[in-house]
Amino acid sequence: MFMQSYLKDFSIEQLNIRNLPNEIFIFFDECKKENLVNNIDVQTMAFGKRSHEAWWVAKHNGKIISITGAHKLPFLGNNAWRVLVRSATLPQYRGKAGPFGKSLSHEFTWGHMLKYQIEYCKEHNGKDFYFTTNKS
């Protein structure tokens, strides 16, 4: 029988992109090693390039293990927001947020950070939410 072990001691924090913590650069290095090409440095993340953007990270023992962002999508309307931007979780932590369920609560981005993004967007008149995926 397969038993999934979940992390019980992780935190979700909003990331201040104007004053990046040192841990984010360690996360970028790990993303490079894992070929998570959209998450390897400040330039690929494109911090500060989007309208009304905000970012969240999941941390375990002080280490950033997952990231995702949200930003306004003005070309789709005044209330349009893109969520789950540049989402990435280090492979050894995928599916470890727990518990497993249809709501994807076992994933850090979908199950735990998305609710903070939706709340943030709603505070800024967000009503329509979009997400995108990579082609491959």
Side-chain angles (χ1 to χ4, degrees), residues 86-132:
R86 292 289 194 269
S87 294
T89 301
L90 296 175
Q92 65 269 35
Y93 295 98
R94 291 178 185 162
K96 300 282 186 183
F100 185 82
K102 290 179 184 177
S103 67
L104 297 173
S105 56
H106 57 288
E107 293 297 336
F108 290 99
T109 54
W110 283 91
H112 295 273
M113 289 188 262
L114 180 59
K115 64 184 171 189
Y116 293 104
Q117 292 180 343
I118 298 294
E119 182 180 301
Y120 175 88
C121 296
K122 285 181 175 180
E123 288 171 4
H124 295 86
N125 299 318
K127 293 186 178 129
D128 303 313
F129 305 100
Y130 300 87
F131 70 93
T132 60

Side-chain angles (χ1 to χ4, degrees), residues 7-14 56-66 108 112-113 116:
L7 295 177
K8 294 179 175 60
D9 55 347
F10 66 87
S11 63
I12 305 298
E13 301 174 14
Q14 191 167 356
W56 289 262
V57 295
K59 285 182 158 184
H60 175 63
N61 293 331
K63 175 182 179 175
I64 295 174
I65 59 174
S66 186
F108 290 99
H112 295 273
M113 289 188 262
Y116 293 104

Side-chain angles (χ1 to χ4, degrees), residues 11 13-16 19-32 39-42 45 47 56-67 88 90 93:
S11 63
E13 301 174 14
Q14 191 167 356
L15 184 66
N16 180 353
N19 186 20
L20 292 170
N22 290 333
E23 296 84 10
I24 194 71
F25 300 102
I26 296 166
F27 178 77
F28 292 157
D29 287 342
E30 291 195 44
C31 286
K32 256 182 234 173
N39 306 84
I40 62 171
D41 56 31
V42 172
M45 294 296 292
F47 289 146
W56 289 262
V57 295
K59 285 182 158 184
H60 175 63
N61 293 331
K63 175 182 179 175
I64 295 174
I65 59 174
S66 186
I67 191 168
L90 296 175
Y93 295 98

